[in-house]
Amino acid sequence: MFIWSFALISGITMVWLLAWAIRRGEFQNMREGARMIFDDQEPAGLVTDHFPGEPR
Amino acid sequence: MSQVTNQNPEQDPQPDPVFTLHMAAMREMQEPRDGIAPTPVSYIIMCLLFVLGGGWYLGYYGGEWTANGLSERPIAGIPPAPPPQDPMVLGKEVFGACLQCHQESGLGVAGTYPPLAGSEYVLGDKRRLVAILLKGLNGEFVVKGNTYNSQMPAWEIREDEEIAAVLTYIRNSWGNKADAVSKDLVTAVRKETAGRGEWRAATLAEFAK
Amino acid sequence: MIAQPLPPAIGPEFEARVEVDGSSRAVVVLFWGTSLLWLTVASLAGIISSIKLHSPDFLGGIEWLTFGRIRAVHWDTAIYGFGGLAASGTLLWLQARLCQVRLPYRNLLLVGGVVFNIGILLGVIGILMGQSTGVETLEFPLWAMPLLVVPYVFIVIANFTMYFKKVTKHTYVSQWYLMAVTVWFPILVLSAEACTNLGAVDGVAQAIANWWYGHNVVGLFATPTGIAAAYYLIPKVIGKPIHSYHLSLLGFWSNAIFYNWAGTHHLTGGPLPAWTITLGVVGSLMMFIPVITIGINHHMTMLGSFHLLKTSPTLRFAVMGSMVYTLSSFQGSLEALRSHQEVTHFTHYTIGHVHFGMYGFFAPLMFAMMYYGMPRLMDQEWSSARLIRIHFWCTLVGMLIYVFAMCYAGIRQGLMMNDPAVPFLNIVRFTIPYLGLRTLGGVILLSGTIAFLINFIRIITPHKYTWATPTLLDSERDWRKVVAKEKEQ
């Protein structure tokens, strides 16, 4: 009984979260989503990691 | 700006080393890549194929979807009965438990354990024989004219099939020749003697009058 | 050639990032640093248990170090000590960065980090004293578990606080994974503890719960954290957005749907209703979908940037991790099939696979996270490029030796065990050289870890062994300067 109600609650939560994400527009504007890790100091196109103290 | 879009930095006789090193990264910025490459159709077909394959596997190895279905393959129709085992072979195997007293020769131990070879109890009434094996026998007992006084243990815990087989075996070994003991007879005698203790010579005679 | 220091170019986003990184410094360094200590402990325990397999007399007289105890210590310190702490540090750092908010509850999290470490220490002592529960992956005695669960609750709360205070509009794909981990992991631990050690169910159901957990702790805790790290690091380091954001979300949701079912494939051949095992096998097979999705995405993002592997330590580990993710997941999905298990079940093959996943995929991504994060957190550079190289090659070579030895020996072992004509002792003798090779692989991995530990200790020692400026600033300034110069001309 406990397991069934737990499964039901989890399932409903999952569906609700998916609906919430869609309503928030998480699945739109993918371009912005993909680019959000870059900023003015580390823009797309910039390599940001090197071995320390070595020529790049 | 001209050098930024220059696709061939080698043409420059003395390119700025730092600039050359960053050429690749800077070219990247010009490309129309936005992280929104569409999902290819082949990819969707692949996903569907996996789902189909998974569904097939689930149905094929579902084990009838019951809590007791321990076998993953569905069993088609009535399962074939296991081939009946030769009672002489099974009987010989079961006889391993009897060896110590009655000996491999079936002759027993003179004065202590009665013989099976030629024994009137072995070759005689099958119902009585089954009863002895199921319940055991204690006290003085006469076989082939000799008196023995020892204990035959009860073998109720063995399967009906095993008891039938071992009795068939002893009735057809060491020169004995008699008809087979059926499993049904063992079942019947087991039912008949339920709740009784071990036999005495007298009670056995009473039982198999 | 060392880049000369230049006056910092400061913009508002840069200031915000520095502030965010500064806020998470103490907590994240605590989590990452202690995770490396536990990795060392786990490697030592693993090497001891590995040696015992080919030389049974090794440390044979010490009951605290008998195989049953030291192997449990090895796995539990690896998954909770190293995995739990490294993943939590990664989670807090990445989430703060991606939400662009300061890390909340810093003191609470610091205390939590210390308590978590004490919990693992006590759990390890409990196992060594013989109080192991005997349930695989949940061997820690019950009295140690609250010390692990309560700090994790702090982490979950901090994670959601950051998410709901976030400045950014979008949720990045890494955040999906990180948030999912904080939802899944507490449910996993609590349900599994309830079903096994607390005895909510009996018998076969306990075994199911045990392996549901055992598989999911890797699949729904370590794996999503690793993928989150890869999704952040690969685009960030090479400076290209992820190839397809569509695919990354598809990958996330298919992973969420399918992974959970896979655990029961560990019980193939056991006295379980056949459909539970079949469900596990199908769940594992379905994992091909997210794995291919994620693999395509990472590979297509990397395409054209493979030359950067020469110069970027972070990228080396991240690419190694994401490639092994694809390979080990393929291996795992196939391994789940009944026809495959007929040979490899109960052989060394499974152990090879686990290490392929944990040390070939998860650990390198955590290392990559640390290589990328530490200079930004500490405002100073890694002191030695040579130590980084040693670490990388030790990790790669040690892992390959280990995985090859175990998988090859496992297949041969399984084939021989299926042949009734081969005496069991011959099979044992056959595996001994490969068990030796495994010890060798383990020692190489440990050497790499020690190299990393030295570098790590140096980077948290204030400004003793350092290059003039952190890489995160000067490379970019060089680049900007060049563009500006070109524009002027």
Side-chain angles (χ1 to χ4, degrees):
Chain A
M1 191 60 223
F2 165 76
I3 289 177
W4 284 112
S5 47
F6 185 73
L8 198 69
I9 292 168
S10 317
I12 292 172
T13 314
M14 175 128 175
V15 173
W16 179 77
L17 277 176
L18 189 58
W20 171 81
I22 292 169
R23 269 209 317 277
R24 264 175 55 99
E26 294 291 353
F27 299 105
Q28 290 153 12
N29 214 348
M30 301 265 175
R31 178 186 311 233
E32 195 190 317
R35 283 180 175 272
M36 69 164 284
I37 55 170
F38 304 106
D39 59 24
D40 58 358
Q41 293 288 304
E42 291 179 356
L46 179 71
V47 177
T48 58
D49 188 66
H50 306 275
F51 275 104
E54 290 188 1
R56 6 201 104 113
Chain B
M1 200 61 208
S2 61
Q3 283 195 11
V4 177
T5 48
N6 184 356
Q7 297 296 308
N8 289 311
E10 294 82 13
Q11 289 173 357
D12 191 336
Q14 285 255 296
D16 183 336
V18 182
F19 171 74
T20 324
L21 280 162
H22 285 288
M23 263 318 278
M26 288 163 74
R27 264 208 304 278
E28 243 19 276
M29 293 178 75
Q30 319 278 337
E31 279 180 26
R33 297 186 40 154
D34 303 288
I36 52 163
T39 310
V41 178
S42 53
Y43 170 83
I44 295 168
I45 293 173
M46 181 203 78
C47 290
L48 283 176
L49 284 179
F50 271 114
V51 172
L52 281 176
W56 172 81
Y57 197 94
L58 215 51
Y60 195 71
Y61 289 114
E64 300 185 319
W65 298 91
T66 59
N68 294 324
L70 297 183
S71 161
E72 67 269 19
R73 287 305 321 279
I75 297 157
I78 302 152
Q85 210 176 348
D86 182 357
M88 288 301 282
V89 175
L90 178 62
K92 188 167 185 187
E93 212 178 296
V94 178
F95 189 71
C98 321
L99 278 180
Q100 205 164 1
C101 303
H102 296 295
Q103 303 299 310
E104 201 159 1
S105 59
L107 295 173
V109 176
T112 315
Y113 300 119
L116 301 176
S119 159
E120 64 270 33
Y121 286 94
V122 171
L123 294 167
D125 183 7
K126 287 191 279 189
R127 182 164 156 272
R128 183 178 59 188
L129 181 60
V130 174
I132 294 172
L133 203 68
L134 283 173
K135 292 294 172 184
L137 182 60
N138 201 358
E140 286 196 0
F141 196 67
V142 181
V143 179
K144 286 173 85 176
N146 298 322
T147 306
Y148 299 87
N149 189 355
S150 54
Q151 190 170 19
M152 159 89 185
W155 289 101
E156 289 182 291
I157 52 160
R158 305 302 285 257
E159 304 278 333
D160 291 353
E161 193 185 353
E162 289 174 325
I163 289 174
V166 77
L167 293 182
T168 305
Y169 173 74
I170 62 172
R171 278 161 73 86
N172 290 286
S173 302
W174 318 295
N176 287 356
K177 199 115 192 89
D179 58 341
V181 176
S182 73
K183 191 181 152 195
D184 296 340
L185 178 68
V186 180
T187 315
V189 176
R190 190 192 284 277
K191 215 167 170 184
E192 199 181 342
T193 59
R196 296 190 73 135
E198 59 188 358
W199 303 110
R200 295 266 165 183
T203 52
L204 186 66
E206 175 75 16
F207 174 73
K209 246 193 303 214
Chain C
M1 184 191 90
I2 303 162
Q4 291 302 306
L6 291 160
I10 292 181
E13 287 177 344
F14 173 72
E15 275 182 346
R17 196 175 68 231
V18 168
E19 198 190 332
V20 166
D21 280 352
S23 76
S24 59
R25 176 179 302 142
V27 175
V28 175
V29 171
L30 171 73
F31 276 77
W32 282 349
T34 49
S35 81
L36 288 182
L37 294 179
W38 284 117
L39 179 63
T40 315
V41 173
S43 304
L44 277 173
I47 289 170
I48 292 174
S49 29
S50 173
I51 293 175
K52 277 168 181 285
L53 281 178
H54 54 78
S55 315
D57 293 336
F58 179 71
L59 298 176
I62 309 168
E63 67 181 286
W64 283 49
L65 299 180
T66 42
F67 184 80
R69 299 184 188 181
I70 199 75
R71 200 212 76 98
V73 168
H74 163 60
W75 174 231
D76 283 17
T77 47
I79 191 71
Y80 300 113
F82 170 63
L85 285 162
S88 302
T90 300
L91 179 136
L92 294 172
W93 186 65
L94 256 190
Q95 191 68 287
R97 267 201 152 205
L98 289 170
C99 294
Q100 291 175 18
V101 293
R102 293 168 59 87
L103 186 68
Y105 319 126
R106 281 185 295 281
N107 293 334
L108 198 63
L109 287 171
L110 275 178
V111 174
V114 173
V115 171
F116 197 89
N117 274 293
I118 294 173
I120 296 168
L121 187 65
L122 290 178
V124 166
I125 292 172
I127 294 177
L128 289 179
M129 280 163 51
Q131 295 186 20
S132 156
T133 61
V135 176
E136 182 146 359
T137 321
L138 289 170
E139 283 105 339
F140 284 157
L142 271 178
W143 46 262
M145 285 314 278
L147 298 180
L148 303 186
V149 172
V150 173
Y152 200 79
V153 173
F154 298 163
I155 294 169
V156 176
I157 295 171
N159 180 36
F160 279 96
T161 311
M162 281 189 278
Y163 185 76
F164 288 113
K165 285 196 331 200
K166 76 183 160 81
V167 177
T168 45
K169 249 170 61 195
H170 229 81
T171 308
Y172 189 61
V173 57
S174 294
Q175 283 172 291
W176 279 108
Y177 282 103
L178 296 175
M179 310 262 291
V181 167
T182 56
V183 176
W184 290 333
F185 192 51
I187 297 179
L188 281 175
V189 175
L190 295 178
S191 334
E193 278 288 0
C195 289
T196 55
N197 291 333
L198 297 173
V201 295
D202 306 314
V204 161
Q206 255 186 11
I208 298 178
N210 185 190
W211 277 108
W212 170 75
Y213 177 74
H215 199 78
N216 282 356
V217 76
V218 174
L220 293 179
F221 178 65
T223 303
T225 315
I227 298 172
Y231 266 127
Y232 182 73
L233 290 173
I234 294 178
K236 187 74 177 165
V237 170
I238 66 179
K240 274 194 262 179
I242 196 77
H243 168 69
S244 166
Y245 207 71
H246 289 279
L247 281 184
S248 65
L249 290 181
L250 267 174
F252 171 78
W253 284 100
S254 48
N255 197 35
I257 290 167
F258 295 130
Y259 215 131
N260 180 43
W261 303 95
T264 45
H265 67 224
H266 284 273
L267 294 162
T268 305
L272 273 70
W275 66 267
T276 51
I277 296 166
T278 302
L279 209 57
V281 175
V282 173
S284 319
L285 277 183
M286 288 294 108
M287 282 305 293
F288 267 118
I289 295 177
V291 168
I292 291 174
T293 314
I294 293 164
I296 290 175
N297 223 348
H298 288 168
H299 183 78
M300 295 302 281
T301 310
M302 268 308 286
L303 216 60
S305 302
F306 280 102
H307 61 282
L308 293 174
L309 289 178
K310 253 178 103 172
T311 56
S312 165
T314 304
L315 202 60
R316 279 191 189 186
F317 280 100
V319 169
M320 171 184 167
S322 53
M323 280 183 167
V324 173
Y325 172 68
T326 314
L327 294 176
S328 71
S329 302
F330 278 16
Q331 186 197 21
S333 291
L334 294 175
E335 198 181 342
L337 285 172
R338 280 194 166 85
S339 41
H340 194 298
Q341 295 220 27
E342 272 171 20
V343 176
T344 60
H345 204 34
F346 299 127
T347 67
H348 292 300
Y349 189 88
T350 315
I351 291 107
H353 170 66
V354 173
H355 285 79
F356 199 30
M358 283 302 284
Y359 224 111
F361 154 60
F362 175 71
L365 277 164
M366 291 302 107
F367 297 150
M369 211 66 214
M370 294 178 202
Y371 277 121
Y372 197 74
M374 285 307 288
R376 286 156 177 81
L377 286 167
M378 299 308 298
D379 266 355
Q380 70 173 339
E381 196 40 75
W382 292 103
S383 67
S384 164
R386 178 180 293 166
L387 282 175
I388 299 179
R389 288 209 167 84
I390 291 175
H391 182 209
F392 176 74
W393 287 110
C394 282
T395 307
L396 184 64
V397 172
M399 187 270 292
L400 287 178
I401 290 178
Y402 190 112
V403 173
F404 164 76
M406 287 296 93
C407 288
Y408 178 72
I411 293 172
R412 291 288 303 276
Q413 187 193 6
L415 289 172
M416 284 196 274
M417 288 204 296
N418 283 352
D419 180 358
V422 182
F424 191 72
L425 207 58
N426 287 11
I427 307 176
V428 175
R429 287 212 187 90
F430 162 78
T431 57
I432 288 175
Y434 296 96
L435 295 173
L437 214 52
R438 154 154 90 177
T439 304
L440 176 70
V443 170
I444 297 175
L445 288 174
L446 179 64
S447 328
T449 309
I450 289 170
F452 188 29
L453 205 57
I454 295 170
N455 232 352
F456 197 93
I457 290 168
R458 284 185 182 176
I459 202 175
I460 56 176
T461 319
H463 303 280
K464 223 172 181 177
Y465 314 85
T466 183
W467 301 100
T469 53
T471 23
L472 72 159
L473 295 174
D474 61 7
S475 67
E476 177 201 13
R477 270 180 248 133
D478 285 358
W479 178 80
R480 293 223 149 177
K481 208 176 121 204
V482 172
V483 174
K485 210 169 75 187
E486 300 306 328
K487 276 184 178 167
E488 276 168 25
Q489 284 170 2

